[in-house]
Amino acid sequence: MHYSPIGMALVSTSGEYLEVNPALCAIVGYSADELLATGFESITHPDDYAADVVATKRMLHREVETIRRVKRYRHKDGRIRWVQVNSSLILDDNGAPRYFVSQIQDITERKRADEDLQHANRALQTISNCNQVLVHATDEATLLREICQVMVRDGGYRVAWVGFAGAESDVKTVAIASDEKDGHARIAWAARGGEQMAAAIATGAPAVCKDLRAATGPWRDEAIRLGYRSCVALPLLADGRAFGALTLCSGEETSFDVSEATLLKELADDLAFGIVALRARVNQRQAEAALRTANERYERQEAALTKLTKSNVSAPDDFTDIVRGMTEVVANTLSVALVAVWRHDEGGTVTQCQDLFTWPEGTHSDGLSLSQDACPAYFKALAGVEVLAVTNARSDPRTSELSESLLLPYGITSVMCVPIRSRGATAGVLSCKHVGQSRRWMPDEQAFALAVANLLSTLLAQSERQRLEQQLRQA
């Protein structure tokens, strides 16, 4: 027994050591004298002792002759040692129990290798399931939510969440999943326990905490209470830069070894690629939709200009009819609530609304007026541009003077005004006024309004010539 390469011990029926060999002392780190002064309970992991008691009773009751089991010993330095124990009961000549003979083999390294293999296999299976999610994902939010669910359900992690880099060093949680036990508390903890995630995003490298009990921070105690033992944050990279991280917490102390971390890094890279691909797909769809919308606008504008040009080749005697027709066409083409044509007086200091068309109600009105004295910035802005396109009309200094008299009463938020020129001077204005959320006037819309204003300038000059010719004939 003394020279046996494996641990051996004689144990009394009440659990005290009667004799131990050097191999057992080496396994647990205690001297022979220290072991002989106590029993096997003192070095047995608390979670395994109850099973030892059951096994001992079964042998004492002669239910079995030998017991073989895997258990944990606590080494003198605090480490956990996995052992395989084979125990048999020795009887005296009268058949009464004398003591147990136990053979103890240290299987710690084999156990760790088995656990590493299990972790790697679990990670491979999880990656496979995540890849299925990636293949079938149609939108980013669903992808992130389902990836987190797979990590918890199939990967065996206690909580999984994804965060994206925000302003400065902030991290915004965009998806999270937790196991059912104490789930709400876990999710609340993850929302604030993002130190590892922030580190992974900042460095672009995995941030691993193998023992949360040794960590610091206000979230550490809550993590221990929830049963977390280890944590890893894996950066999500695009073009060599981390835009987010996938973070996993485990209840096992041996999680995130080199092989498992390598596989998880592969998963994070796949997830990052999937996110980028989905965003590119969304951007492409948005670009295609924007192109279709633009083409539709171009077609409407071209048709409208063709209609206006053909119908106004020769100006009618009543220029008001021209104006009413044009405001209707512009409003319907641009889908703008208020379109008006304003005519300046001879001095160019007062402008009078000749026609105001309200869309989609389809009503015409007139009579409004604006003076240069009341709106000097507005008149000055019109004199120096071809198109005055303003998104926030109430705050823009070029148009804010119109707030009390025009913008607020009609609920106008955005305006586009195009001067109507005649003989080098501003003779009037074609105005488009949008009601509702602020509107950015597209370049093609500005070009269309300018073309209509130029047509109005031409027709205005033609109408003026006809008026002068009629006066000459009458003279």
Side-chain angles (χ1 to χ4, degrees):
M1 174 173 159
H2 183 80
Y3 297 104
S4 173
I6 65 173
M8 294 195 68
L10 302 182
V11 184
S12 71
T13 55
S14 57
E16 292 83 15
Y17 283 117
L18 303 175
E19 187 175 347
V20 297
N21 73 341
L24 176 58
C25 295
I27 292 173
V28 296
Y30 291 95
S31 67
D33 290 339
E34 288 174 321
L35 289 177
L36 293 174
T38 184
F40 72 85
E41 179 184 358
S42 64
I43 62 171
T44 297
H45 193 285
D47 294 343
D48 296 341
Y49 180 67
D52 280 345
V53 173
V54 171
T56 299
K57 288 181 178 179
R58 292 188 66 197
M59 285 192 289
L60 289 173
H61 294 159
R62 313 292 175 84
E63 295 177 11
V64 294
E65 295 182 357
T66 301
I67 289 292
R68 173 182 294 180
R69 62 187 304 266
V70 173
K71 59 178 289 187
R72 289 164 290 181
Y73 280 153
R74 294 182 300 185
H75 193 276
K76 189 175 182 178
D77 63 9
R79 291 177 297 157
I80 298 299
R81 308 301 295 178
W82 284 92
V83 295
Q84 179 176 296
V85 180
N86 297 329
S87 298
S88 300
L89 179 62
I90 304 301
L91 306 176
D92 62 18
D93 294 339
N94 297 321
R98 291 184 61 191
Y99 53 80
F100 297 100
V101 176
S102 296
Q103 296 176 322
I104 303 100
Q105 290 180 285
D106 188 345
I107 61 169
T108 302
E109 296 307 318
R110 188 178 76 193
K111 186 73 174 177
R112 286 176 180 169
D114 289 343
E115 290 177 349
D116 289 347
L117 181 60
Q118 290 175 6
H119 290 154
N121 287 337
R122 183 179 67 186
L124 283 171
Q125 182 61 49
T126 304
I127 288 175
S128 176
N129 294 343
C130 286
N131 284 338
Q132 291 298 313
V133 173
L134 286 166
V135 168
H136 295 95
T138 57
D139 66 272
E140 185 173 318
T142 301
L143 167 65
L144 298 177
R145 183 180 66 252
E146 292 185 355
I147 286 290
C148 289
Q149 291 171 348
V150 168
M151 299 308 295
V152 172
R153 184 188 66 235
D154 302 331
Y157 300 103
R158 303 289 285 276
V159 65
W161 77 103
V162 175
F164 287 160
E168 298 180 355
S169 60
D170 294 338
V171 178
K172 179 183 178 182
T173 297
V174 292
I176 190 167
S178 170
D179 60 11
E180 294 181 359
K181 183 181 178 183
D182 208 12
H184 292 296
R186 297 184 198 285
I187 290 175
W189 176 86
R192 66 176 185 274
E195 183 175 316
Q196 300 297 119
M197 181 175 286
I201 294 174
T203 63
V208 181
C209 181
K210 290 193 173 183
D211 187 356
L212 285 170
R213 292 171 296 185
T216 58
W219 46 269
R220 179 258 187 196
D221 293 340
E222 183 68 2
I224 300 303
R225 185 189 74 79
L226 292 169
Y228 299 160
R229 291 295 178 265
S230 51
C231 179
V232 63
L234 305 149
L236 302 174
L237 302 171
D239 297 327
R241 183 179 180 182
F243 63 88
L246 167 65
T247 303
L248 308 168
C249 280
S250 174
E252 302 176 10
E253 299 174 0
T254 56
S255 287
F256 312 124
D257 54 46
V258 175
S259 60
E260 184 179 11
T262 300
L263 291 171
L264 291 175
K265 178 62 169 61
E266 178 183 335
L267 167 63
D269 290 342
D270 290 345
L271 176 58
F273 178 81
I275 293 171
V276 172
L278 279 175
R279 290 179 178 178
R281 196 182 308 166
V282 169
N283 290 338
Q284 182 179 358
R285 286 199 296 264
Q286 291 175 343
E288 291 173 349
L291 181 60
R292 287 194 298 270
T293 301
N295 287 335
E296 291 171 358
R297 290 201 310 270
Y298 301 155
E299 291 174 1
R300 289 197 304 270
Q301 293 163 14
E302 183 179 2
L305 287 174
T306 301
K307 176 181 178 181
L308 289 174
T309 302
K310 287 182 177 179
S311 61
N312 296 292
V313 172
S314 59
D317 294 335
D318 189 358
F319 190 70
T320 301
D321 290 342
I322 298 176
V323 171
R324 290 170 67 92
M326 285 193 167
T327 55
E328 289 185 16
V329 170
V330 172
N332 284 302
T333 302
L334 299 183
S335 300
V336 63
L338 301 167
V339 176
V341 171
W342 301 72
R343 294 288 299 275
H344 284 16
D345 64 0
E346 291 185 359
T349 59
V350 176
T351 188
Q352 188 85 19
C353 179
Q354 185 170 353
D355 182 67
L356 172 64
F357 180 72
T358 304
W359 179 88
E361 290 83 357
T363 60
H364 291 269
S365 61
D366 56 31
L368 295 172
S369 65
L370 296 171
S371 68
Q372 186 173 359
D373 291 339
C375 313
Y378 174 64
F379 273 74
K380 181 179 179 181
L382 285 175
V385 296
E386 286 190 332
V387 179
L388 179 62
V390 181
T391 300
N392 299 306
R394 298 176 190 176
S395 60
D396 193 295
R398 297 170 297 176
T399 54
S400 58
E401 299 167 335
L402 307 176
S403 294
E404 295 299 326
S405 61
L406 194 61
L407 304 182
L408 291 175
Y410 286 90
I412 298 166
T413 54
S414 306
V415 301
M416 178 171 59
C417 299
V418 185
I420 302 171
R421 311 289 187 189
S422 178
R423 289 177 291 183
T426 301
V429 178
L430 169 66
S431 69
C432 300
K433 297 180 173 63
H434 176 74
V435 174
Q437 188 175 0
S438 297
R439 173 173 177 172
R440 183 173 70 90
W441 302 98
M442 303 302 292
D444 60 274
E445 294 174 330
Q446 297 181 42
F448 171 75
L450 180 60
V452 174
N454 289 338
L455 180 59
L456 276 168
S457 297
T458 300
L459 295 175
L460 181 62
Q462 186 177 347
S463 176
E464 183 65 17
R465 281 197 305 272
Q466 289 179 350
R467 185 181 66 81
L468 292 175
E469 290 174 356
Q470 185 177 6
Q471 288 178 352
L472 287 174
R473 285 194 297 269
Q474 291 175 351

